[in-house]
Amino acid sequence: MDSTTSRAHIHAAGARRDSSDRLDGEPDNHALGRSRGGFSTKIHLACDHHLQAVSFTLTAGQAGDSPQLTEVLDRIRVARPGPGRPRSLPDRVLADKAYSSQANRSYLRCRKITTTIPVKKDQADNRQAKGSAGGRPPAFDSEAYKGRNVVERCFNALKHNRGVATRYDKLAIRFEAVIRVANIDRWLKRLS
């Protein structure tokens, strides 16, 4: 799991203010915001080891990564062969330090999902400063963490589509559709 930023083209701005009231799923800010890189949208994405996106969500460019972990994981629906409900829990979550928070770790622990998330330096220092009251550091599998590059490669493959690399759409639901079509195109290439 990780996130990337898509720069918004100048024509992406200017959607009607009341369009979020009339369209289901359209955020108030149209998932557009200003970050250090300028006017942008952030894509928070979970992918499998085949470089295929299994779920994602959009936020404004300045939004943090950590609060989006639960929403992205709740959106996972992978169809199983044959009858039955779609699979909604991953076996393991690999994420970078941006997702290292007690809230995320407890959420993943409650759902019995194995995590491989490195601890931020300030969190480790705070735990050590507390001494024995700080508790043990969370387990970290450095060999499993080497597989986190898959999500970076998934973003790279999705951004080969110009509409994903630069946002030209005024509405977030239309930009979401562009990402879904790019992902479907990647699935079809893999199946052929």
Side-chain angles (χ1 to χ4, degrees), residues 137-152:
F140 179 73
D141 185 358
S142 59
E143 281 301 311
Y145 191 68
K146 291 178 182 177
R148 201 189 73 75
N149 67 55
V150 172
V151 72
E152 303 294 344

Side-chain angles (χ1 to χ4, degrees), residues 73-78 80 86-90 111 113:
L73 291 180
D74 288 341
R75 289 182 174 204
I76 293 176
R77 297 287 178 271
V78 178
R80 298 176 188 231
R87 184 178 170 151
S88 60
L89 290 176
R111 295 187 73 181
I113 300 172

Side-chain angles (χ1 to χ4, degrees), residues 13-167:
R16 291 176 50 155
R17 291 183 193 269
D18 64 344
S19 59
S20 58
D21 298 335
R22 294 187 288 146
L23 299 169
D24 287 339
E26 180 68 19
D28 291 336
N29 61 0
H30 303 291
L32 286 168
R34 297 213 177 270
S35 64
R36 288 183 183 181
F39 204 47
S40 59
T41 295
K42 196 175 267 192
I43 305 168
H44 306 272
L45 179 131
C47 75
D48 64 6
H49 62 281
H50 296 294
L51 304 178
Q52 299 296 331
V54 291
S55 72
F56 67 92
T57 187
L58 301 175
T59 59
Q62 74 273 13
D65 293 349
S66 186
Q68 305 308 318
L69 180 118
T70 56
E71 184 176 346
V72 171
L73 291 180
D74 288 341
R75 289 182 174 204
I76 293 176
R77 297 287 178 271
V78 178
R80 298 176 188 231
R85 291 188 320 224
R87 184 178 170 151
S88 60
L89 290 176
D91 295 328
R92 178 183 291 267
V93 170
L94 302 171
D96 62 2
K97 290 181 182 182
Y99 297 94
S100 176
S101 71
Q102 285 189 347
N104 286 343
R105 290 183 190 277
S106 63
Y107 171 81
L108 294 166
R109 198 175 311 115
C110 289
R111 295 187 73 181
K112 296 183 172 101
I113 300 172
T114 307
T115 62
T116 304
I117 302 173
V119 179
K120 290 182 180 178
K121 184 170 177 4
D122 65 329
Q123 291 173 348
D125 291 345
N126 290 339
R127 185 177 39 259
Q128 284 181 346
K130 291 179 183 177
S132 62
R136 288 186 296 182
F140 179 73
D141 185 358
S142 59
E143 281 301 311
Y145 191 68
K146 291 178 182 177
R148 201 189 73 75
N149 67 55
V150 172
V151 72
E152 303 294 344
R153 290 170 32 216
C154 179
F155 279 128
N156 185 23
L158 281 175
K159 284 189 170 186
H160 280 281
N161 184 319
R162 193 172 104 183
V164 176
T166 303
R167 178 178 170 174

Side-chain angles (χ1 to χ4, degrees), residues 164-183:
V164 176
T166 303
R167 178 178 170 174
Y168 296 99
D169 305 295
K170 291 183 185 296
L171 300 178
I173 55 174
R174 293 210 178 110
F175 183 57
E176 187 174 323
V178 167
I179 297 169
R180 288 189 192 282
V181 168
N183 197 41

